[in-house]
């Protein structure tokens, strides 16, 4: 399976690497607050990023 990381995905990974422990609400506020369903979007992206081999 092949896919590309978006710039937002790269920014999220960089943020998590920098701070090591981040809660979902912080990620929602920083990266997803402009979306219609920010919590659902954050959950979906985090599951996708977690499942990267």
């Amino acid at each position: 399976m092949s896919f590309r990381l978006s710039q937002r995905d790269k920014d999220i990974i960089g943020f998590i690497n920098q701070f090591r422990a981040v809660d979902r609400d912080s990620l929602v506020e920083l990266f997803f607050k402009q979306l219609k369903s920010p919590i659902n979007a954050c959950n979906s992206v985090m599951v996708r990023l977690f499942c990267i081999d």
Side-chain angles (χ1 to χ4, degrees), residues 3 8 10 12 23 29 33 35 42-43 49-50 53:
F3 60 91
R8 181 181 65 195
K10 293 174 186 176
I12 291 170
D23 66 334
E29 184 66 27
K33 67 181 174 183
L35 300 177
C42 183
N43 288 342
L49 293 176
F50 181 76
D53 284 333

Side-chain angles (χ1 to χ4, degrees), residues 6-20 22 27-28 30-32 41-42 45-46 48-49:
S6 69
Q7 186 58 49
R8 181 181 65 195
D9 294 343
K10 293 174 186 176
D11 292 343
I12 291 170
I13 291 168
F15 186 81
I16 293 171
N17 281 334
Q18 182 178 0
F19 293 100
R20 298 291 180 204
V22 182
L27 292 174
V28 167
L30 290 168
F31 299 103
F32 298 95
C42 183
V45 169
M46 295 310 298
R48 182 172 47 81
L49 293 176

